[in-house]
């Protein structure tokens, strides 16, 4: 039986939420999220939605926000451990629903982050890691964060890259906050492109050519900006050369964007999905839903993700790659 492996969806395990509440000195985003999106914490509510397709299995990841802006580093270390333990328990308890889970790690303490990656993969059996496009406002290309990328290459497992921008990223410099959730609707798509661009220019893909980064929301604005990336960064290279400080990359920056992986999350838009597939290729795209963060509490994202894949015109073997084969290869999943 061919499965549909949903590689980017989100949960908030009860043990993780309860432990975070005990440590918090003020209300947490979790309190709002679990009320509005019960399927984050209620597996029975999630299963009812997943029943829409009996072939659906999920690879779980923790819902945002990252803990680095909410807790001291030592508390974040403890909470991420609790969360990863809970994810592993969910997978073990419901193997017919969950094909695996990816770890969340304390990027505010990079030594602890690497230790938690090892524990989560080697002891708990988790099959990747989720990180965010910044660490409490700091860019991922800073040298301090590089051991996480190196360890994931050593383990030959993927990094799921999730946007981190919040409403404090104002739309205009004269304002203090973003309006109408522009920070999320458009900002998250930009965040992915910005974070990846910085990693490219920092030489990450030259140092670690085997790195596997899965970009959320089908790469954000990257596929649509295809030739703008090529032209714009050609100018950057030329200007740097003229200034006597050439940028030391082995390839043109545009080429590195094609080394990324991406999920199918377009909220069902077939033209957007076609654009992303044309850019990344069918060997580097994996099926995902982003549930349950929609106006129906998860049912819409799931329905539209399935509908988009059913509608798009692709050879059957390409759909098989996107639904299952690419994910099995990336996350090293055994056949079940």
């Amino acid at each position: 039986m061919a499965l549909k492996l949903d590689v980017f969806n989100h949960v908030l395990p009860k043990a993780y939420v309860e432990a975070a509440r005990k440590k918090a000195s003020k209300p947490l985003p979790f309190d709002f999220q679990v009320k509005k999106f019960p399927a984050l914490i209620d597996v029975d509510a999630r299963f009812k939605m997943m029943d829409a397709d009996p072939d659906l299995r999920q690879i779980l990841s923790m819902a945002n926000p990252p803990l680095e802006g909410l807790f001291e580093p030592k508390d974040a270390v403890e909470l991420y451990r609790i969360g990863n333990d809970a994810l592993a328990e969910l997978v073990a308890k419901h193997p017919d629903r969950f094909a695996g889970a990816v770890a969340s790690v304390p990027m505010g303490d990079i030594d602890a982050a690497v230790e938690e990656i090892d524990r989560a993969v080697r002891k708990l059996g988790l099959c990747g890691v989720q990180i965010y496009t910044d660490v409490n406002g700091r860019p991922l290309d800073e040298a301090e964060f590089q051991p996480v990328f190196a360890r994931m290459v050593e383990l030959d497992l993927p990094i799921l890259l999730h946007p981190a921008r919040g409403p404090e990223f104002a739309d205009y410099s004269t304002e203090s906050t973003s309006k109408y959730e522009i920070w999320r609707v458009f900002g998250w798509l930009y965040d992915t492109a910005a974070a990846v661009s910085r990693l490219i220019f920092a030489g990450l893909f030259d140092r670690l050519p085997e790195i596997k980064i899965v970009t959320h929301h089908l790469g954000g604005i990257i596929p649509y900006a295809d030739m703008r990336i090529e032209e714009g960064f050609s100018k950057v290279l030329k200007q740097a050369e003229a200034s006597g400080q050439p940028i030391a990359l082995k390839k043109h920056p545009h080429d590195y964007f094609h080394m990324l992986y991406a999920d199918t999350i377009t909220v069902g838009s077939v033209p957007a999905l076609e654009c992303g597939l044309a850019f990344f290729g069918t060997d580097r795209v994996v099926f995902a839903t982003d549930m349950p963060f929609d106006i129906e509490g998860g049912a819409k994202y799931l329905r539209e993700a399935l509908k988009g894949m059913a509608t798009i015109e692709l050879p059957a073997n390409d759909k098989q790659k996107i639904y299952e084969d690419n994910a099995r290869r990336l996350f090293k999943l055994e056949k079940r």
Side-chain angles (χ1 to χ4, degrees), residues 234-309:
S234 290
K235 293 176 181 176
V236 170
L237 294 176
K238 188 174 181 179
Q239 290 164 359
E241 187 76 29
S243 71
Q245 296 179 319
I247 295 171
L249 292 175
K250 294 180 180 180
K251 300 188 287 188
H252 189 284
H254 181 263
D255 295 339
Y256 296 97
F257 286 90
H258 290 282
M259 296 172 68
L260 299 167
Y261 293 81
D263 62 37
T264 61
I265 295 168
T266 66
V267 195
S269 170
V270 172
L273 186 54
E274 290 171 338
C275 181
L277 285 168
F279 185 88
F280 293 109
T282 55
D283 289 334
R284 288 182 175 266
V285 175
V286 286
F287 177 70
T289 66
D290 211 12
M291 72 173 294
F293 291 111
D294 62 66
I295 59 175
E296 297 177 19
K300 180 179 179 180
Y301 278 179
L302 176 56
R303 181 179 66 249
E304 294 302 324
L306 291 168
K307 181 180 176 182
M309 279 296 295

Side-chain angles (χ1 to χ4, degrees), residues 82-215:
I82 292 170
N84 291 332
D85 286 344
L87 289 176
E89 289 175 11
L90 283 171
V91 174
K93 187 175 181 180
H94 305 286
D96 58 329
R97 299 286 192 166
F98 305 135
V102 299
S104 290
V105 296
M107 295 292 285
D109 181 340
I110 213 64
D111 289 337
V114 173
E115 288 179 10
E116 182 59 11
I117 289 171
D118 288 341
R119 188 186 79 91
V121 172
R122 301 184 192 281
K123 181 179 179 181
L124 302 181
L126 302 192
C127 57
V129 67
Q130 176 181 243
I131 64 173
Y132 291 84
T133 47
D134 69 68
V135 180
N136 209 18
R138 297 172 61 191
L140 289 177
D141 57 300
E142 289 188 9
E144 178 180 332
F145 304 128
Q146 302 317 295
V148 165
F149 296 101
R151 184 53 53 89
M152 294 308 294
V153 169
E154 291 171 6
L155 293 170
D156 192 27
L157 288 172
I159 295 170
L160 274 60
L161 184 63
H162 195 293
R165 176 180 297 241
E168 72 278 6
F169 283 78
D171 309 317
Y172 295 94
S173 60
T174 56
E175 299 177 342
S176 59
T177 60
S178 175
K179 294 184 177 181
Y180 317 115
E181 293 206 6
I182 291 171
W183 60 271
R184 181 179 61 84
V185 175
F186 294 107
W188 276 9
L189 306 183
Y190 166 80
D191 268 6
T192 297
V196 169
S197 297
R198 291 285 294 261
L199 290 171
I200 287 170
F201 278 99
L204 177 71
F205 293 85
D206 284 340
R207 293 192 304 276
L208 301 171
E210 301 303 315
I211 190 80
K212 297 176 176 66
I213 297 177
V214 181
T215 54

Side-chain angles (χ1 to χ4, degrees), residues 36-58:
K36 189 172 182 181
F37 308 105
L40 280 170
I41 200 167
D42 183 343
V43 292
D44 289 330
R46 176 173 289 256
F47 293 161
K48 288 180 181 178
M49 295 179 193
M50 292 176 67
D51 286 342
D53 192 314
D55 297 332
L56 183 68
R57 303 290 185 274
Q58 293 186 328

Side-chain angles (χ1 to χ4, degrees), residues 63-83:
N64 71 82
L67 300 183
E68 283 69 32
L70 300 174
F71 296 96
E72 293 297 318
K74 64 180 181 62
D75 291 329
V77 171
E78 179 182 347
L79 290 172
Y80 279 133
R81 286 176 64 93
I82 292 170

